[in-house]
Amino acid sequence: MHELSIVRTLLREVELIAAAELGDVVEIHLGCGELSGYEPECLRTAFAQLQGPGRLEYARLVIHPIPLAAVCEQCSGEFEPADFRRACPQCGSPHTHFARGTELWLESIVLDETRKATVP
Ligand SMILES: [Zn+2]
């Protein structure tokens, strides 16, 4: 499960932010792309395994799925890729790239119920 190592790195990062803000973490919000290579269920399992005493002890992990989206370089149209095809469904151009859905983001952290830390 390669989620363990990414979650370990993530928790270290969140600890640093919480320590700088002098707060305890209540929620950690992650954006998880459909094609990020990380499974939300495995991220949750890894989180449960690694969550120890300290500022993150009672933190809840909230995962927001990010659906896959591609954009066409020809007509600028955005579409949801299907069946592993890269051609634009509007104009047929093969010159397209992923716009969203391949990323794993730390979206925000909620500290002490009320304070929302900005992720630097
Ligand atoms: Zn197009």
Side-chain angles (χ1 to χ4, degrees):
M1 189 169 78
H2 68 301
E3 277 80 1
L4 263 180
S5 96
I6 192 90
V7 171
R8 188 176 289 121
T9 308
L10 169 78
L11 294 191
R12 206 174 299 138
E13 182 61 29
V14 173
E15 295 245 12
L16 286 176
I17 297 170
E21 300 277 340
L22 301 172
D24 289 328
V25 181
V26 178
E27 286 174 1
I28 300 168
H29 291 259
L30 278 188
C32 181
E34 198 182 312
L35 213 65
S36 68
Y38 297 105
E39 288 295 328
E41 258 332 289
C42 298
L43 289 169
R44 271 188 265 274
T45 305
F47 179 75
Q49 278 180 32
L50 295 170
Q51 191 172 24
R55 293 189 186 277
L56 274 66
E57 196 170 352
Y58 302 106
R60 200 166 70 88
L61 183 65
V62 184
I63 298 173
H64 306 275
I66 303 170
L68 198 57
V71 73
C72 174
E73 289 159 27
Q74 197 75 41
C75 73
S76 304
E78 201 179 286
F79 61 97
E80 195 182 321
D83 306 324
F84 303 97
R85 307 292 162 83
R86 70 174 306 160
C88 170
Q90 278 117 49
C91 74
S93 168
H95 302 291
T96 60
H97 60 262
F98 290 131
R100 275 189 308 284
T102 59
E103 66 274 59
L104 183 70
W105 293 131
L106 176 56
E107 286 186 351
S108 62
I109 301 168
V110 179
L111 297 168
D112 304 328
E113 311 276 358
T114 50
R115 292 195 292 147
K116 194 163 188 169
T118 46
V119 178

